[in-house]
Amino acid sequence: MCGIIGYTGRTQVLPKLFCGLKSLEYRGYDSAGIAFYDRNAGMMCLKEKGRVSEVEALADDYEKNNNTKIDAFCGIGHTRWATHGKPSDINSHPHCTMRVSIVHNGIIENYAELKDELTGHGYGFVSETDTETAAVLIDRFYCDTGDPVAAVRKASERIQGSYAFGIIFHDRPNEIYAARKDSPLIIAEGSDGNYIASDIPAVLRYTDKYYRLEEGETAVLTPGSVTVIKEDGTRFTPEYCKITWSVDAAEKEGFPHFMLKEIHEEPRAVRDTLSSVLSSDIEAFFRENDFDSINIAACGTAMHAGLICKYMTEKLARVPVNVYIASEFRYQDPILSERDLVIIISQSGETADSVAALRLAKERGARTLAVVNVVGSTAAREADHILMTLAGPEISVASTKAYASQIAVMYVLSVKLALVKGKISDEYASSLISDISDNVPSAIDGIIAQKDSIKALARNFLDCPSVFFVGRGLDCLVASEGSLKLKEITYIHSEAYAAGEMKHGTISLISEGTPVIALATEKDLLLKTLGNVKEVKSRGAYVVLVCNEDDIDSIDRSVCDSIIALPPLRSCFAPFTAIAALQLLSYYTAVLRGCDVDRPRNLAKSVTVE
Ligand code: M6R
């Protein structure tokens, strides 16, 4: 949530700031800004409500109006997802005082108290943000100590909440100071200078060497050096890790949107994830630990992946699984001990509610397992055990290939646990594993090959106010994810229902032409689901049936208006193909409605505030 970039080095800073910010826009995009030291004009700040390109235009205008070229080698930039104060020019970052300019991710919880105190000392404020209090606080301590590191640390001691800061002290215009608590920040070393960034894509073009700043550490970057200072004052030069993502992985590569590109990457993402999880020690982990309960905490799409795990694990391993919305985990006061396993599922590994659930689980003594897509993310570092999804960078705010990879992990978990518990035979486990590995990626390709007909179908959804997704069993769980995808990127209201539940209330919303997307992929449940489909059809619904190719002949075609046929696959793996179809349907509907597919309104990719 919110993106930070900073650079100090031997080449012009503006192109690096703009390029970095554009690659971070998925983290927040309601306003943007940069602060930099111009060799002619001194410290400058350009910021505006709107996208990064609008700040780029501000810089162009400045050069034209002043008949000059900005000449700057050190600067910081920010792209914002508003929390405190509406999106506006004034509330955009950087926030600048006489002595400092800062960019901030996170939330300063005690900002009101700090603001009162600082106002009492004669300081003034111009914005509605929590961040400005941090700028003023750091300014005040810098005034007192004349020492930037001491100023940052003293301010950090007073701040409650979460932060990743990038700071320039105006009398040290070639240096960047960085600090973090509960909000990610990386340092990266390039051949021509050093960087800070909230996420790897911002620096991918320039370097493959990064260091993840630890909680409570402060860093000082100059063009030729990086020094990290631990909380106890020890100083060290970071040892860098290698970024394994390629630049291409974070580019659109000819696709009009990241979302479409990422759907096309699902077969590869599932294949890679399966081979990594299958070669992990997960079976040994289950053999060594006999858990009384399995609990999953996650948000949004990741939580929907958790529901698939519950379904499969309870079916195959006969072990009860609780799935929690991570933001509700603490209120449900979960009963946990060292005999319980808590699984956190998170693409980013930084989602604040999921990380908070992980910490609570640890506090209560439970064993923790994180299923994450980002190496070195907070959840990955704090959990006892990790399983990586190998989806590669997911840039579009709507999660697609991450979900496919997460459910791949969930299937393997359920099979391995069932095997260890002696609930399924070696042969059955092997047949499930070879089926998922050999057949799922190509079946997803089969759906992608139908994208033109799915695009044509999307025209029917253009102007509808509301869409219903229904299904039974696994289909009901996929319906929830399909519905989330549609509302997230098309802004069409949608709801997911257990097919049998509609007639207990919601069917009153069905009238002539109301779209209902009915998933009926499980052979055993087909007739029952079709019965429910008839109920809505006879009330005027426009029905799209998502079912297996080989079931089509046995279906009375009058129950539906259109069909999406899924390539043959073992029934329990249909979520992979069904969701790919629903993702494409949402994608094309959003495109036809002229929505900003990759950056839907009000959202951000990584939700690092609770
Ligand atoms: O990074 P995470 O997987 O923890 O993110 C969780 C949710 O914020 C995320 O899945 C969200 O629901 C997606 N944008 C939905 O497409």
Side-chain angles (χ1 to χ4, degrees):
M1 204 149 254
C2 302
I4 287 179
I5 176 81
Y7 168 78
T8 178
R10 291 176 290 282
T11 50
Q12 292 288 333
V13 70
L14 258 56
K16 295 195 185 262
L17 295 183
F18 289 134
C19 173
L21 286 180
K22 283 179 185 162
S23 65
L24 288 174
E25 261 188 325
Y26 66 91
R27 297 179 66 93
Y29 33 82
D30 55 44
S31 44
I34 56 174
F36 53 93
Y37 177 72
D38 178 65
R39 290 186 173 181
N40 303 309
M43 214 49 215
M44 285 181 66
C45 179
L46 301 172
K47 57 184 191 172
E48 191 153 89
K49 177 181 170 194
R51 299 282 164 95
V52 175
S53 53
E54 290 167 57
V55 180
E56 219 169 356
L58 280 182
D60 288 345
D61 288 349
Y62 171 84
E63 290 186 335
K64 272 190 213 119
N65 297 339
N66 294 283
N67 197 18
T68 185
K69 274 263 160 238
I70 291 170
D71 189 20
F73 294 78
C74 175
I76 49 179
H78 189 265
T79 174
R80 178 170 186 247
W81 186 84
T83 57
H84 293 56
K86 60 182 179 300
S88 70
D89 296 352
I90 293 277
N91 289 337
S92 311
H93 300 209
H95 287 279
C96 308
T97 67
M98 285 282 285
R99 280 166 282 263
V100 301
S101 293
I102 85 167
V103 287
H104 165 226
N105 285 358
I107 287 188
I108 297 170
E109 286 163 3
N110 58 339
Y111 82 101
E113 173 199 323
L114 292 172
K115 200 167 180 174
D116 279 352
E117 183 184 318
L118 290 161
T119 308
H121 285 102
Y123 287 92
F125 291 84
V126 292
S127 78
E128 303 158 280
T129 64
D130 52 339
T131 304
E132 195 182 5
T133 48
V136 173
L137 196 64
I138 293 170
D139 179 297
R140 172 155 195 243
F141 287 128
Y142 189 48
C143 205
D144 287 353
T145 61
D147 176 348
V149 173
V152 174
R153 298 177 70 106
K154 275 176 175 285
S156 304
E157 281 163 21
R158 294 294 318 281
I159 290 171
Q160 286 163 19
S162 57
Y163 55 81
F165 289 132
I167 310 160
I168 295 182
F169 290 86
H170 297 174
D171 59 355
R172 297 166 181 264
N174 294 318
E175 295 171 6
I176 294 177
Y177 290 76
R180 69 156 283 208
K181 177 177 167 280
D182 290 341
S183 195
L185 197 67
I186 61 162
I187 312 283
E189 185 193 53
S191 55
D192 59 357
N194 295 308
Y195 301 79
I196 59 166
S198 43
D199 209 348
I200 286 172
V203 297
L204 261 183
R205 277 183 173 277
Y206 305 115
T207 176
D208 62 357
K209 290 201 260 171
Y210 78 103
Y211 170 78
R212 239 170 237 281
L213 208 59
E214 295 285 345
E215 292 285 290
E217 288 179 347
T218 309
V220 186
L221 284 74
T222 70
S225 69
V226 173
T227 309
V228 179
I229 303 121
K230 287 191 186 175
E231 255 169 336
D232 65 5
T234 322
R235 289 174 176 251
F236 65 96
T237 306
E239 271 183 35
Y240 294 100
C241 302
K242 193 167 162 54
I243 299 173
T244 49
W245 292 349
S246 69
V247 178
D248 288 352
E251 303 279 339
K252 286 189 202 143
E253 289 183 301
F255 285 94
H257 298 99
F258 279 110
M259 182 175 176
L260 188 60
K261 177 194 174 220
E262 289 162 3
I263 295 170
H264 277 76
E265 288 173 339
E266 284 179 22
R268 198 268 314 137
V270 168
R271 213 175 276 120
D272 290 355
T273 299
L274 285 172
S275 81
S276 140
V277 181
L278 289 169
S279 57
S280 75
D281 58 352
I282 190 64
E283 194 177 320
F285 176 71
F286 283 137
R287 285 199 193 285
E288 283 155 21
N289 299 280
D290 186 19
F291 298 112
D292 288 342
S293 80
I294 296 187
N295 306 273
I296 297 176
C299 301
T301 291
M303 191 274 291
H304 291 154
L307 295 174
I308 302 275
C309 184
K310 174 180 168 69
Y311 188 95
M312 291 306 298
T313 305
E314 292 184 345
K315 221 177 191 64
L316 294 178
R318 308 305 295 155
V319 173
V321 179
N322 305 308
V323 180
Y324 297 89
I325 294 172
S327 58
E328 290 294 311
F329 188 64
R330 78 202 80 160
Y331 311 123
Q332 301 194 357
D333 203 5
I335 303 162
L336 298 170
S337 76
E338 68 281 358
R339 290 195 45 84
D340 298 303
L341 175 66
V342 174
I343 304 176
I344 302 298
I345 309 172
S346 174
Q347 185 281 129
S348 61
E350 300 294 350
T351 300
D353 287 314
S354 306
V355 171
L358 168 67
R359 289 178 181 158
L360 178 64
K362 290 186 80 168
E363 240 172 71
R364 300 209 168 167
R367 295 297 302 276
T368 54
L369 164 65
V371 178
V372 292
N373 194 43
V374 180
V375 182
S377 56
T378 305
R381 288 186 303 171
E382 295 190 12
D384 302 320
H385 208 83
I386 316 168
L387 286 177
M388 294 299 302
T389 50
L390 299 188
E394 192 180 61
I395 308 291
S396 182
V397 165
S399 189
T400 53
K401 62 177 178 172
Y403 174 78
S405 309
Q406 285 161 351
I407 64 173
V409 176
M410 299 304 128
Y411 279 100
V412 175
L413 280 183
S414 58
V415 172
K416 294 290 179 189
L417 187 60
L419 186 66
V420 168
K421 290 264 175 201
K423 300 288 180 192
I424 57 173
S425 65
D426 280 349
E427 294 69 35
Y428 186 49
S430 308
S431 81
L432 285 167
I433 295 293
S434 47
D435 218 5
I436 190 172
S437 309
D438 298 346
N439 300 328
V440 164
S442 54
I444 303 174
D445 271 329
I447 288 296
I448 294 170
Q450 294 181 39
K451 65 182 174 190
D452 288 340
S453 55
I454 295 178
K455 185 176 180 179
L457 191 58
R459 297 196 184 284
N460 298 311
F461 294 84
L462 265 190
D463 298 317
C464 58
S466 199
V467 175
F468 293 87
F469 290 76
V470 298
R472 285 173 178 262
L474 280 167
D475 288 334
C476 175
L477 312 178
V478 178
S480 299
E481 176 55 13
S483 166
L484 174 63
K485 218 83 310 173
L486 187 82
K487 64 180 83 139
E488 183 178 17
I489 61 167
T490 67
Y491 317 144
I492 296 173
H493 168 259
S494 85
E495 289 189 42
Y497 265 86
E501 182 66 9
M502 289 287 282
K503 57 180 162 293
H504 297 286
T506 313
I507 203 165
S508 65
L509 294 172
I510 303 291
S511 60
E512 201 53 41
T514 307
V516 173
I517 300 180
L519 290 98
T521 68
E522 286 195 70
K523 270 211 175 7
D524 299 351
L525 306 176
L526 183 63
L527 290 180
K528 277 210 189 312
T529 306
L530 290 179
N532 302 131
V533 173
K534 278 193 188 131
E535 291 158 8
V536 292
K537 182 72 190 144
S538 55
R539 283 155 182 90
Y542 169 82
V543 175
V544 177
L545 186 67
V546 182
C547 66
N548 293 316
E549 207 172 273
D550 23 342
D551 287 332
I552 289 184
D553 290 344
S554 65
I555 291 172
D556 164 11
R557 297 294 287 269
S558 70
V559 298
C560 62
D561 298 275
S562 302
I563 289 187
I564 299 179
L566 306 181
L569 204 55
R570 194 191 285 250
S571 191
C572 68
F573 297 138
F576 286 101
T577 44
I579 197 58
L582 299 185
Q583 290 164 351
L584 285 167
L585 188 61
S586 295
Y587 169 76
Y588 287 116
T589 309
V591 172
L592 290 169
R593 283 167 66 89
C595 300
D596 189 344
V597 176
D598 287 333
R599 289 171 293 195
R601 71 182 176 211
N602 303 338
L603 288 169
K605 181 73 181 161
S606 187
V607 185
T608 52
V609 291
E610 287 182 30

